[in-house]
Amino acid sequence: MTSDPFGTLRKALWIGGAPWTGKSTVARLLADRHGLAAYHHDDRARPGNAPGGDIPAVEQLTAVLAEFEQRFQSALDELRAWESPRPIVAEGWGLRPELVAPLVDSPRRMVVLVPTELFRQHQLRHRADEPTIPEQRSSLTRDRMLAAQAVRSARARGIRVIEIDGRLDPAGVTDVVAEHFREYLDA
């Protein structure tokens, strides 16, 4: 078992998933609404933005997952140092179900946010930096693969997957996540 002197890891509420799903916004809104602290794992150096170039997406996926695993240990070290009487909301695309699940007493302590393919296509059409060069298209393929892997991993562990399709604004998505975490928010 991982050392957890203040019970932070055991009490944390985890939001993982794919890029562009509003994880940071949902964590911030949830923390603001319920008087919680938020830990933003994605604020650190973003893995996977390089490797690119001529590296196939499947090799990028393998490299990024290995980097996530390494970086997860740093996240745990940082979270262990936080002392809070209430749960901490931890979010980031590197907070993978297979890494978080061994730390929690219930799969209900985590949600995974992933975009539907239609929502992803909508976002791509409205990006200022439309991905046209091969390196960017390869990264998008890798991101799709990361999302699919997160969904498989979450479902295998009984962790809820919430598909983001653009019908709900960030406050609405936060409502869905808050309802999922209700038992921990009311405690």
Side-chain angles (χ1 to χ4, degrees):
M1 179 61 172
T2 302
S3 169
D4 190 13
F6 302 115
T8 307
L9 302 177
R10 183 180 44 80
K11 294 186 298 189
L13 304 174
W14 303 83
I15 302 172
W20 308 351
T21 55
K23 295 177 304 299
S24 296
T25 301
V26 168
R28 181 182 44 78
L29 290 172
L30 191 65
D32 289 349
R33 286 183 188 179
H34 296 278
L36 307 175
Y39 172 81
H40 300 284
H41 186 53
D42 285 342
D43 288 345
R44 283 94 186 124
R46 296 194 44 103
N49 287 339
D54 294 331
I55 300 172
V58 70
E59 290 180 30
Q60 289 183 47
L61 175 68
T62 302
V64 170
L65 288 173
E67 190 170 340
F68 282 156
E69 191 168 347
Q70 285 181 312
R71 290 182 60 238
F72 187 67
Q73 295 310 311
S74 296
L76 295 182
D77 290 343
E78 292 172 5
L79 283 166
R80 276 188 208 98
W82 289 27
E83 184 177 4
S84 175
R86 308 270 336 269
I88 291 173
V89 180
E91 69 81 20
W93 73 317
L95 302 179
R96 311 297 290 179
E98 63 274 15
L99 300 174
V100 172
L103 302 174
V104 296
D105 60 354
S106 169
R108 292 199 45 83
R109 286 197 172 271
M110 183 175 199
V111 296
V112 172
L113 306 181
V114 294
T116 63
E117 188 56 33
L118 283 175
F119 186 61
R120 184 188 310 273
Q121 291 301 319
H122 169 80
Q123 290 174 310
L124 289 173
R125 283 191 303 274
H126 293 91
R127 280 179 64 169
D129 60 338
E130 182 160 342
T132 55
I133 59 175
E135 295 86 10
Q136 291 170 321
R137 286 194 300 272
S138 180
S139 293
L140 292 172
T141 300
R142 179 213 53 221
D143 288 351
R144 280 187 179 96
M145 294 169 71
L146 278 167
Q149 188 275 341
V151 169
R152 286 189 305 273
S153 181
R155 289 188 174 143
R157 291 162 176 80
I159 294 170
R160 183 173 179 190
V161 174
I162 298 172
E163 289 189 336
I164 306 300
D165 62 10
R167 289 187 285 179
L168 295 176
D169 65 4
V173 175
T174 303
D175 291 342
V176 172
V177 172
E179 185 57 37
H180 174 80
F181 288 143
R182 178 69 46 216
E183 67 189 278
Y184 306 111
L185 297 172
D186 292 338

